[in-house]
Amino acid sequence: MKGIIIYSGKYGATKQYAEWLGEELALPVTTSDSINGNLLQEYDFLLLGSSVYIGKMKIKKWLKKNLSFIIGKKLFLFQVAGAPPEEKEKRETYNRASIPGEILNSIESFFLPGRMIMKNLSWGDRFLLKIGARLSKDSKEKKSMLTDYDGVNKASIAVIAAGIKSYLRRKTIGESQYTETVQP
């Protein structure tokens, strides 16, 4: 089975996770801007990574553009966001807002903690965060929206790596058993 990691991020956390997963799984890693439909045909499964920006995944446009090339492939997704992984409903809302309906239920999703360092954000992103914080009615949420955090750590990829390795073992065993029973 041939796979690839394709990611789209903004400030480096998604790229870091993609590189760690590439090392762990011995898979090539590329940005969504660097791969098109013709190249996607070479792969049996895709591990997609995306940061979340204003409630939508950065990989959203790429998914729509390449939908015809990825339907029918095994799809994994890791989502990197400020919302903690335990806020599963909020994270699933991001999926529903960004993943085309044709593949939404066939993607195996994983949620990874993100990073936000205010001084590293663009002026526009800092401005949007401040407006969002002012509009929030919850004082605790207001404060957290403007507070630096860094949850990016290599240990977080363990569940994804294990899931993909398990999938590959099942596919390999299944295919070899099928070959043995068909051949005389």
Side-chain angles (χ1 to χ4, degrees):
M1 300 266 337
K2 189 173 177 184
I4 188 169
I5 299 170
I6 302 165
Y7 73 92
S8 181
K10 192 161 184 174
Y11 289 107
T14 307
K15 178 181 180 182
Q16 180 65 74
Y17 283 126
E19 289 172 351
W20 284 333
L21 284 161
E23 291 169 12
E24 178 70 23
L25 299 167
L27 293 174
V29 177
T30 189
T31 64
S32 59
D33 295 336
S34 302
I35 191 162
N36 61 33
N38 292 332
L39 293 173
L40 289 172
Q41 293 177 9
E42 298 176 25
Y43 298 98
D44 303 305
F45 72 95
L46 309 175
L47 173 52
L48 308 168
S50 183
S51 62
V52 175
Y53 183 71
I54 310 177
K56 294 189 177 74
M57 287 190 277
K58 293 277 297 164
I59 205 163
K60 179 180 180 176
K61 287 181 184 174
W62 184 89
L63 288 170
K64 278 187 162 183
K65 181 180 175 184
N66 292 286
L67 185 61
S68 64
F69 298 103
I70 61 178
I71 286 179
K73 293 187 183 295
K74 177 63 179 169
L75 303 173
F76 298 93
L77 169 78
F78 65 93
Q79 179 198 106
V80 182
E86 53 274 7
E87 288 187 24
K88 192 171 181 172
E89 181 54 41
K90 189 173 194 176
R91 296 287 203 125
E92 288 175 355
T93 299
Y94 301 151
N95 281 4
R96 288 190 298 274
S98 304
I99 299 171
E102 297 90 333
I103 59 172
L104 180 61
N105 294 325
S106 64
I107 289 183
E108 193 170 334
S109 294
F110 301 90
F111 306 121
L112 298 174
R115 168 190 304 137
M116 183 193 70
I117 310 298
M118 288 293 280
K119 70 178 184 177
N120 294 343
L121 301 180
S122 70
W123 178 88
D125 288 347
R126 281 194 309 270
F127 180 73
L128 288 173
L129 266 174
K130 288 177 182 178
I131 288 176
R134 282 188 182 196
L135 295 173
S136 176
K137 293 175 179 22
D138 181 352
S139 61
K140 188 176 180 181
E141 184 179 49
K142 259 183 206 198
K143 184 178 179 184
S144 73
M145 287 177 76
L146 301 174
T147 303
D148 290 353
Y149 60 88
D150 189 352
V152 177
N153 66 76
K154 193 172 185 176
S156 297
I157 69 165
V159 173
I160 301 169
I164 292 173
K165 287 176 181 177
S166 174
Y167 166 75
L168 293 172
R169 276 192 302 276
R170 287 191 314 270
K171 292 303 282 184
T172 303
I173 290 169
E175 290 172 6
S176 65
Q177 287 176 343
Y178 176 76
T179 304
E180 290 172 16
T181 57
V182 172
Q183 293 181 357

